Amino acid sequence: MEKVRFAIIGVGNMGSVHAKNLLSGKVPDAVLAAICDLRPERMAAVTSQPGGETVRCFADYHELLRSGAADAVIIATPHYLHPTIAMEAFAAGLHVLSEKPAGVYTKQVKEMNRAAEKSGKLFTLMFNQRTNCLYRKMREMIAAGELGAVRRINWIITDWYRSQSYYDSGDWRATWRGEGGGVLFNQCPHQLDLLWWITGMMPARIRAFCRFGQWHDIEVEDDVTAYLEYENGATGVFITTTAD
């Protein structure tokens, strides 16, 4: 079997992790063929690793997508670019794996989903917590009815502590223009995904209390309490923060 050639767009924090895993052979039948980033030093950090000497480097993702260097692309850029790059990748005939979140604007995400379906290519988001055996078992037990009907859900995820220096490390962090949100958008998409994936239940109504810059010098939310109501009468509470 020929190995799937992956390209990574954005080799910052998450993109560099994907690059390391591919270069070290942790992903069977996959090879890192190309990378793209605006910062040459980031790409140099990837190509200097064992096996990285054959990886092609691009400063422009448009050029990468047109190059024919890859079969699939991993998108690990700031959030606003996820749908834009994904749709261009589909148009170029590439499979797409995008980091969370799917995007910032609902309309844009819907357009991306339609483009994925039309392309016939594989498309997925990096919700790696679905592979956790604990969460998978919970989902199986609830789906099988072993616990009866779900009537109440409480999810508290407050181990996301972030220092002010973390937010100060990039001018795009914790800004509306750079991320489009705070703890709900950056740290908690995995738990929000698991909330419905495990239970199989989507809230019918949500009332959320979001505190913007409550504990940090930032403009987006860093403390959230949400109350959820479901069609079957069940209720839920979701609490998260980057301050505890």
PDB file of all heavy atoms in Angstrom, residues 129-142:
ATOM      1  N   GLN A 129     -10.400  13.367  21.383  1.00  0.00           N
ATOM      2  CA  GLN A 129     -10.899  12.793  22.626  1.00  0.00           C
ATOM      3  C   GLN A 129     -11.918  11.680  22.385  1.00  0.00           C
ATOM      4  O   GLN A 129     -12.205  10.896  23.288  1.00  0.00           O
ATOM      5  CB  GLN A 129     -11.505  13.886  23.516  1.00  0.00           C
ATOM      6  CG  GLN A 129     -10.478  14.865  24.068  1.00  0.00           C
ATOM      7  CD  GLN A 129      -9.402  14.160  24.869  1.00  0.00           C
ATOM      8  OE1 GLN A 129      -9.687  13.447  25.825  1.00  0.00           O
ATOM      9  NE2 GLN A 129      -8.150  14.346  24.471  1.00  0.00           N
ATOM     10  N   ARG A 130     -12.444  11.604  21.194  1.00  0.00           N
ATOM     11  CA  ARG A 130     -13.376  10.513  20.879  1.00  0.00           C
ATOM     12  C   ARG A 130     -12.677   9.153  20.866  1.00  0.00           C
ATOM     13  O   ARG A 130     -13.346   8.123  20.886  1.00  0.00           O
ATOM     14  CB  ARG A 130     -14.040  10.764  19.524  1.00  0.00           C
ATOM     15  CG  ARG A 130     -14.979  11.948  19.492  1.00  0.00           C
ATOM     16  CD  ARG A 130     -15.785  11.903  18.221  1.00  0.00           C
ATOM     17  NE  ARG A 130     -16.628  13.075  18.040  1.00  0.00           N
ATOM     18  CZ  ARG A 130     -17.558  13.186  17.103  1.00  0.00           C
ATOM     19  NH1 ARG A 130     -17.758  12.186  16.261  1.00  0.00           N
ATOM     20  NH2 ARG A 130     -18.283  14.284  16.984  1.00  0.00           N
ATOM     21  N   THR A 131     -11.344   9.167  20.806  1.00  0.00           N
ATOM     22  CA  THR A 131     -10.606   7.908  20.832  1.00  0.00           C
ATOM     23  C   THR A 131     -10.309   7.459  22.258  1.00  0.00           C
ATOM     24  O   THR A 131      -9.821   6.347  22.468  1.00  0.00           O
ATOM     25  CB  THR A 131      -9.276   8.037  20.074  1.00  0.00           C
ATOM     26  OG1 THR A 131      -8.420   8.954  20.770  1.00  0.00           O
ATOM     27  CG2 THR A 131      -9.501   8.548  18.661  1.00  0.00           C
ATOM     28  N   ASN A 132     -10.575   8.293  23.247  1.00  0.00           N
ATOM     29  CA  ASN A 132     -10.338   7.954  24.657  1.00  0.00           C
ATOM     30  C   ASN A 132     -11.249   6.798  25.060  1.00  0.00           C
ATOM     31  O   ASN A 132     -12.475   6.885  24.915  1.00  0.00           O
ATOM     32  CB  ASN A 132     -10.593   9.187  25.523  1.00  0.00           C
ATOM     33  CG  ASN A 132     -10.239   8.970  26.980  1.00  0.00           C
ATOM     34  OD1 ASN A 132     -10.700   8.027  27.613  1.00  0.00           O
ATOM     35  ND2 ASN A 132      -9.443   9.872  27.523  1.00  0.00           N
ATOM     36  N   CYS A 133     -10.668   5.721  25.580  1.00  0.00           N
ATOM     37  CA  CYS A 133     -11.452   4.523  25.892  1.00  0.00           C
ATOM     38  C   CYS A 133     -12.524   4.794  26.949  1.00  0.00           C
ATOM     39  O   CYS A 133     -13.592   4.172  26.947  1.00  0.00           O
ATOM     40  CB  CYS A 133     -10.533   3.392  26.331  1.00  0.00           C
ATOM     41  SG  CYS A 133      -9.515   3.767  27.767  1.00  0.00           S
ATOM     42  N   LEU A 134     -12.260   5.725  27.860  1.00  0.00           N
ATOM     43  CA  LEU A 134     -13.242   6.073  28.893  1.00  0.00           C
ATOM     44  C   LEU A 134     -14.491   6.681  28.269  1.00  0.00           C
ATOM     45  O   LEU A 134     -15.624   6.259  28.564  1.00  0.00           O
ATOM     46  CB  LEU A 134     -12.619   7.054  29.890  1.00  0.00           C
ATOM     47  CG  LEU A 134     -13.569   7.635  30.947  1.00  0.00           C
ATOM     48  CD1 LEU A 134     -14.067   6.541  31.871  1.00  0.00           C
ATOM     49  CD2 LEU A 134     -12.860   8.726  31.741  1.00  0.00           C
ATOM     50  N   TYR A 135     -14.297   7.659  27.400  1.00  0.00           N
ATOM     51  CA  TYR A 135     -15.440   8.320  26.764  1.00  0.00           C
ATOM     52  C   TYR A 135     -16.175   7.366  25.818  1.00  0.00           C
ATOM     53  O   TYR A 135     -17.404   7.409  25.714  1.00  0.00           O
ATOM     54  CB  TYR A 135     -14.976   9.566  26.006  1.00  0.00           C
ATOM     55  CG  TYR A 135     -14.368  10.619  26.892  1.00  0.00           C
ATOM     56  CD1 TYR A 135     -13.215  11.305  26.511  1.00  0.00           C
ATOM     57  CD2 TYR A 135     -14.937  10.933  28.125  1.00  0.00           C
ATOM     58  CE1 TYR A 135     -12.654  12.272  27.325  1.00  0.00           C
ATOM     59  CE2 TYR A 135     -14.379  11.898  28.945  1.00  0.00           C
ATOM     60  CZ  TYR A 135     -13.237  12.567  28.546  1.00  0.00           C
ATOM     61  OH  TYR A 135     -12.676  13.522  29.339  1.00  0.00           O
ATOM     62  N   ARG A 136     -15.418   6.515  25.142  1.00  0.00           N
ATOM     63  CA  ARG A 136     -16.050   5.554  24.232  1.00  0.00           C
ATOM     64  C   ARG A 136     -16.942   4.580  25.013  1.00  0.00           C
ATOM     65  O   ARG A 136     -18.051   4.237  24.570  1.00  0.00           O
ATOM     66  CB  ARG A 136     -14.990   4.787  23.446  1.00  0.00           C
ATOM     67  CG  ARG A 136     -14.234   5.659  22.460  1.00  0.00           C
ATOM     68  CD  ARG A 136     -13.052   4.932  21.846  1.00  0.00           C
ATOM     69  NE  ARG A 136     -13.489   3.872  20.951  1.00  0.00           N
ATOM     70  CZ  ARG A 136     -13.710   4.037  19.657  1.00  0.00           C
ATOM     71  NH1 ARG A 136     -13.529   5.216  19.106  1.00  0.00           N
ATOM     72  NH2 ARG A 136     -14.096   3.030  18.901  1.00  0.00           N
ATOM     73  N   LYS A 137     -16.468   4.149  26.179  1.00  0.00           N
ATOM     74  CA  LYS A 137     -17.256   3.234  27.002  1.00  0.00           C
ATOM     75  C   LYS A 137     -18.513   3.908  27.529  1.00  0.00           C
ATOM     76  O   LYS A 137     -19.595   3.305  27.551  1.00  0.00           O
ATOM     77  CB  LYS A 137     -16.403   2.709  28.167  1.00  0.00           C
ATOM     78  CG  LYS A 137     -17.118   1.677  29.016  1.00  0.00           C
ATOM     79  CD  LYS A 137     -17.495   0.431  28.210  1.00  0.00           C
ATOM     80  CE  LYS A 137     -18.143  -0.625  29.081  1.00  0.00           C
ATOM     81  NZ  LYS A 137     -18.541  -1.818  28.295  1.00  0.00           N
ATOM     82  N   MET A 138     -18.382   5.166  27.956  1.00  0.00           N
ATOM     83  CA  MET A 138     -19.555   5.914  28.425  1.00  0.00           C
ATOM     84  C   MET A 138     -20.609   6.003  27.331  1.00  0.00           C
ATOM     85  O   MET A 138     -21.799   5.801  27.575  1.00  0.00           O
ATOM     86  CB  MET A 138     -19.129   7.316  28.866  1.00  0.00           C
ATOM     87  CG  MET A 138     -18.289   7.358  30.131  1.00  0.00           C
ATOM     88  SD  MET A 138     -17.561   8.991  30.419  1.00  0.00           S
ATOM     89  CE  MET A 138     -19.051   9.984  30.638  1.00  0.00           C
ATOM     90  N   ARG A 139     -20.148   6.303  26.118  1.00  0.00           N
ATOM     91  CA  ARG A 139     -21.076   6.421  24.992  1.00  0.00           C
ATOM     92  C   ARG A 139     -21.783   5.101  24.712  1.00  0.00           C
ATOM     93  O   ARG A 139     -22.998   5.068  24.469  1.00  0.00           O
ATOM     94  CB  ARG A 139     -20.312   6.890  23.758  1.00  0.00           C
ATOM     95  CG  ARG A 139     -21.174   7.156  22.533  1.00  0.00           C
ATOM     96  CD  ARG A 139     -20.318   7.789  21.438  1.00  0.00           C
ATOM     97  NE  ARG A 139     -21.131   8.230  20.315  1.00  0.00           N
ATOM     98  CZ  ARG A 139     -21.322   7.536  19.201  1.00  0.00           C
ATOM     99  NH1 ARG A 139     -20.737   6.352  19.067  1.00  0.00           N
ATOM    100  NH2 ARG A 139     -22.065   8.021  18.219  1.00  0.00           N
ATOM    101  N   GLU A 140     -21.017   4.006  24.749  1.00  0.00           N
ATOM    102  CA  GLU A 140     -21.603   2.682  24.516  1.00  0.00           C
ATOM    103  C   GLU A 140     -22.650   2.342  25.566  1.00  0.00           C
ATOM    104  O   GLU A 140     -23.722   1.808  25.248  1.00  0.00           O
ATOM    105  CB  GLU A 140     -20.493   1.629  24.527  1.00  0.00           C
ATOM    106  CG  GLU A 140     -19.543   1.704  23.340  1.00  0.00           C
ATOM    107  CD  GLU A 140     -18.363   0.761  23.501  1.00  0.00           C
ATOM    108  OE1 GLU A 140     -18.368  -0.021  24.488  1.00  0.00           O
ATOM    109  OE2 GLU A 140     -17.450   0.795  22.662  1.00  0.00           O
ATOM    110  N   MET A 141     -22.357   2.634  26.845  1.00  0.00           N
ATOM    111  CA  MET A 141     -23.285   2.314  27.930  1.00  0.00           C
ATOM    112  C   MET A 141     -24.579   3.111  27.807  1.00  0.00           C
ATOM    113  O   MET A 141     -25.678   2.568  27.998  1.00  0.00           O
ATOM    114  CB  MET A 141     -22.618   2.603  29.279  1.00  0.00           C
ATOM    115  CG  MET A 141     -21.462   1.672  29.608  1.00  0.00           C
ATOM    116  SD  MET A 141     -20.590   2.154  31.114  1.00  0.00           S
ATOM    117  CE  MET A 141     -21.859   1.762  32.345  1.00  0.00           C
ATOM    118  N   ILE A 142     -24.463   4.401  27.451  1.00  0.00           N
ATOM    119  CA  ILE A 142     -25.657   5.230  27.324  1.00  0.00           C
ATOM    120  C   ILE A 142     -26.472   4.800  26.108  1.00  0.00           C
ATOM    121  O   ILE A 142     -27.703   4.675  26.175  1.00  0.00           O
ATOM    122  CB  ILE A 142     -25.264   6.717  27.220  1.00  0.00           C
ATOM    123  CG1 ILE A 142     -24.716   7.197  28.568  1.00  0.00           C
ATOM    124  CG2 ILE A 142     -26.462   7.570  26.802  1.00  0.00           C
ATOM    125  CD1 ILE A 142     -24.156   8.597  28.537  1.00  0.00           C
TER     126      ILE A 142
END
